[in-house]
Amino acid sequence: MTNMLRELAATLLKMFVADFWLTATVLAVVGLCAVGRYAHILPPSVLPFALATGVLVALGLSVASAARR
Amino acid sequence: MVNWITAAPVVAAAFLASSVEIVEAFTIVLAVSVVRGPRPAILGAVAALAVLAVVIALAGPWLAKVPVGGLQLVVGALLLIFGLGWLRKAVLRRAGILKLHDEATAFSSETDVLRASKLDDAMAALAAFKAVLLEGTEVVFIVLAVGARPGLLVPAAVGAGAACLLVLGFGLLLRAPLTRVPENTLKFIVGGLLTGFGVFWCCEGLGAPWPGGDLAIVVLIGLYLVAGLILSGLVRREAT
């Protein structure tokens, strides 16, 4: 039972932290957009494009760094 | 009334993502069935499905009480992380940097492990239970996440249910691991779909809707799929 719970926890962790830096970058991008939105720095009309671009950059960086390893 | 511009990608995402997970669970359940017979394999799988049904029954009403905006932001961020993980892995596999997943190899190594461990029926049922529970947890998350807007949970569940019926139907017909399922292509497409939904849900959660409304989901999915193709091409060229 303990083993199974441990494996379930590992599966959940693997689902969301398959690559630590990708997860951290995505959370940073979403966090920055949220802060920008609520601090009225990022207008609602710009936010979607900022988020979409940030996610694209996160993917590119993660793939490039994995390719270099 | 369900808007089909939104519902169609939801059904597709739930169907394709669930197919990948169910194929993986089926491979292990089949290995258990080959080693110890179908009874413990079916018992274990059905017990895991019952546990998952209880989880859904408990989570559903609770999620319904969470404000939609907050839920979409959290679920959108989780979908982004999960979807980008799949897209990244699929891009690296397409580029030849990571090895492709092979269902036949997974089946034979699982069968070898089960034979070597000389399981009794209870342990065999537990192995099937664990496989279905672990893969099923991912299916439940995907269904709840892509259906994170009133009216979309049913299309998501329909997509996952159809995948379940199709994979199990083919699996029972062939009684062999489903090696012809193009796992990496599916993961690539699902990665793009989940990432597109993740960005869209996050923006809705932050109160910054996309111009073009729900049609933007389709554009976002296309954007991430094209980006994935370009990235895998660039990385492959660099690697050779």
Side-chain angles (χ1 to χ4, degrees), chain B residues 30-51:
Chain B
L30 185 71
V32 170
S33 177
V34 165
V35 174
R36 289 294 311 182
R39 207 178 121 84
I42 293 169
L43 266 177
V46 169
L49 290 175
V51 170

Side-chain angles (χ1 to χ4, degrees), chain B residues 144-227:
Chain B
L144 291 177
V146 294
R149 188 203 259 176
L152 287 182
L153 201 55
V154 172
V158 166
C164 195
L165 287 178
L166 194 77
V167 172
L168 291 183
F170 269 114
L172 291 174
L173 203 72
L174 298 172
R175 293 182 188 207
L178 301 171
T179 49
R180 288 201 177 177
V181 173
E183 202 247 5
N184 200 52
T185 307
L186 282 182
K187 265 202 161 153
F188 184 85
I189 295 169
V190 173
L193 282 162
L194 298 185
T195 306
F197 272 106
V199 171
F200 191 83
W201 283 170
C202 279
C203 290
E204 279 210 335
L206 288 169
W210 276 89
D214 289 355
L215 199 61
I217 295 178
V218 182
V219 177
L220 283 168
I221 292 166
L223 170 76
Y224 291 111
L225 289 178
V226 170

Side-chain angles (χ1 to χ4, degrees), chain A residues 39-55:
Chain A
H40 303 287
I41 300 165
L42 212 53
S45 56
V46 177
L47 188 143
F49 300 99
L51 182 63
T53 310
V55 168

